[in-house]
Each structure stands twice: as C-alpha cells, then as structure tokens.
C-alpha cells in the first residue's frame, strides 16, 4: 500500500500538479486564450506542458518500496500484471480528480486551495479501505474513488482481489474520464477570455 501511495505521490508531483496548478493562473491572467488558439487539444495541452523533474526520485522511491515489499510476499506474474493494469486505471482516476478540481477555476478563478483539498482526501489512500468504517468505505470507493488508487492494485499484486472489483476499477476510470472530459468542454465553452 505504501509503495503504491508513494509511487502515486511521485506521479502527481512530476506530471499532474505542475500542470493543474497553472490552470487557474492561465485563466486569471488571460493566457488561456493562447492555449485555446493552438491547433492541439486544449485539455491535452494544459495537462502535459510542465514537468517537475526534480521530484522524479519520488517515483523511483515508490518503485523501490514496491519491489522491497513484494520480495517478502508470494507474488505471481499474473498478480503483478493485473496490479500494473489496475494501477494505470488508478493514475487515470488521479488525473481526472485533479483535472475536475482544477477545471472549477473557469468559474471560481481563484482555486489555490484545490491541491490541499485533493491532498486531504488522497491521504486516506495510505491505509487499506477496510481500515475505515463502512460509511467511510463507501465514500472512499464510490464518491471519491480513493480505494481504487492504492488498495485495489495492492490487493491485485497479492492475489486478494475479487474479479468484480478488478473489473470495476477500469470502469470507474473510464466513467471519470468521460465526466471530466464533459466538464472540461463545458468549462471551455463558458470561458469568456481576459479581453471580453
């Protein structure tokens, strides 16, 4: 669990946060106008422009911790492959949550505390979902799907995952991706630019 959590923190620090934290600033300063005029998908553009390579060691530490922890467990090749595929779904979920929160800047402009809101909820991913009371488990699985970020890949790696949950993870990622895409399009359509 801790390895997947640290790996995800590294992914957020290197790829997600540097881009999502700049969305509100580009809207406020009017630079979003230039982003929308470029002949590339605006969502792709704002999601991939910046990298924080100084935080790349966080990803390596997460991977190292995963390797170290799995050395003491009975891990099969199928379990590792399933965990890797479900972890890709987890990264899509993380990206979608961040983008959804950052997209609110089109309406609220000043959203500096979005990262704190995400980090507060994401902190629950340090622990297995089964450690929480049933109502909190429901929220962490279906309302804010934090359970799919660390608990599900860890269970898959150790062959403790039910097939229904294994199928639910990519479905949740797909639904979040579609909802986030719709939210992004609606936000861009409501954008009035700095000059109008």
């Amino acid at each position: 669990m801790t390895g997947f959590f640290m790996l995800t923190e590294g992914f957020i620090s290197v790829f997600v946060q540097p881009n999502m934290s700049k969305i509100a600033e580009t809207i406020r300063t009017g630079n979003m106008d230039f982003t929308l005029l470029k002949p590339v998908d605006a969502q792709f553009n704002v999601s991939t422009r910046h990298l924080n390579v100084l935080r790349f060691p966080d990803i390596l530490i997460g991977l190292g911790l995963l390797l170290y922890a799995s050395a003491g467990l009975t891990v099969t090749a199928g379990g590792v492959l399933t965990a890797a595929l479900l972890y890709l779904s987890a990264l899509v979920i993380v990206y979608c949550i961040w983008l959804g929160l950052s997209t609110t800047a089109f309406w609220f402009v000043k959203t500096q505390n979005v990262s704190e809101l995400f980090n507060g909820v994401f902190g629950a991913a340090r622990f297995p979902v089964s450690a929480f009371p049933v109502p909190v488990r429901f929220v962490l699985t279906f309302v804010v799907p934090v359970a799919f970020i660390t608990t599900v890949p860890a269970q898959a790696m150790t062959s403790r995952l039910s097939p229904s949950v294994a199928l639910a993870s990519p479905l949740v990622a797909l639904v979040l991706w579609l909802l986030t895409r719709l939210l992004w399009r609606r936000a861009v359509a409501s954008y009035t630019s700095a000059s109008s």
Side-chain angles (χ1 to χ4, degrees):
M1 291 279 307
T2 305
F4 280 115
F5 181 80
M6 292 182 73
L7 188 61
T8 307
E9 275 191 327
F11 171 77
I12 291 167
S13 299
V14 173
F15 299 104
V16 180
Q17 188 177 18
N19 292 298
M20 298 302 136
S21 63
K22 300 214 183 289
I23 290 176
E25 181 184 337
T26 58
I27 292 169
R28 187 177 48 77
T29 60
N31 289 331
M32 184 60 77
D33 297 359
F34 302 114
T35 302
L36 295 174
L37 289 174
K38 292 182 180 175
V40 65
D41 183 68
Q43 180 182 338
F44 176 79
N45 194 0
V46 300
S47 299
T48 58
R49 276 191 290 193
H50 305 283
L51 293 175
N52 185 357
V53 293
L54 297 175
R55 296 297 299 266
F56 192 75
D58 293 353
I59 293 175
L60 297 177
I61 291 169
L63 282 172
L65 188 55
L66 271 174
L67 291 173
Y68 175 75
S70 63
L73 299 171
T74 304
V75 178
T76 64
V80 171
L81 181 61
T82 304
L85 292 173
L86 293 176
Y87 188 66
L88 288 176
S89 295
L91 295 181
V92 170
I93 291 169
V94 166
Y95 166 76
C96 289
I97 293 171
W98 261 96
L99 183 63
L101 291 171
S102 299
T103 300
T104 61
F106 280 95
W107 296 287
F108 303 118
V109 183
K110 293 188 177 185
T111 57
Q112 292 86 358
N113 294 329
V114 165
S115 62
E116 294 305 318
L117 176 64
F118 177 82
N119 289 333
V121 174
F122 180 63
R126 284 187 177 105
F127 309 102
V129 141
S130 59
F132 295 100
V134 174
V136 177
R137 268 186 239 172
F138 179 82
V139 170
L140 292 177
T141 304
F142 299 108
V143 179
V144 183
V146 173
F148 292 105
I149 298 170
T150 57
T151 301
V152 169
Q155 287 176 340
M157 185 174 268
T158 57
S159 301
R160 296 181 188 160
L161 185 65
S162 69
S164 60
V165 176
L167 291 173
S169 184
L171 287 175
V172 168
L174 178 64
V175 168
L176 273 178
W177 175 265
L178 294 173
L179 289 174
T180 307
R181 184 66 179 169
L182 288 172
L183 178 66
W184 174 262
R185 287 183 172 214
R186 179 172 284 236
V188 168
S190 70
Y191 178 61
T192 56
S193 86
S195 60
S196 62

